[in-house]
Amino acid sequence: MAHPKRKISKSRRDKRRTHYKAVAPTLTTCATTGAVHLPHRAYSVDGNLYYNGKVLIEKAATV
């Protein structure tokens, strides 16, 4: 098993980790429904499944 020959200092370790950061997701608003959703993803509004402003799957009508 690999074992380090020398101790990695805290500053050297932290310099490597500076690139790992949380990024806020980009959101888009649908022109048809006004729903806020992730781009290029299907989203549901009132039980209907939408993609690109068009209904993919309609909610089943309950009797």
Side-chain angles (χ1 to χ4, degrees), residues 40-59:
H40 306 289
R41 303 281 193 294
Y43 55 95
S44 68
V45 177
D46 298 330
N48 297 333
L49 191 67
Y50 287 86
Y51 182 76
N52 203 14
K54 299 172 189 157
V55 177
L56 288 180
I57 302 171
E58 289 188 21
K59 182 178 179 181

Side-chain angles (χ1 to χ4, degrees), residues 10-56:
K10 293 171 192 155
S11 63
R12 192 174 185 91
R13 175 199 65 198
D14 293 342
K15 282 181 199 174
R16 184 180 67 245
R17 293 182 182 173
T18 59
H19 303 291
Y20 303 132
K21 53 186 167 250
V23 178
T26 53
L27 298 174
T28 58
T29 305
C30 178
T32 307
T33 61
V36 178
H37 62 91
L38 291 170
H40 306 289
R41 303 281 193 294
Y43 55 95
S44 68
V45 177
D46 298 330
N48 297 333
L49 191 67
Y50 287 86
Y51 182 76
N52 203 14
K54 299 172 189 157
V55 177
L56 288 180

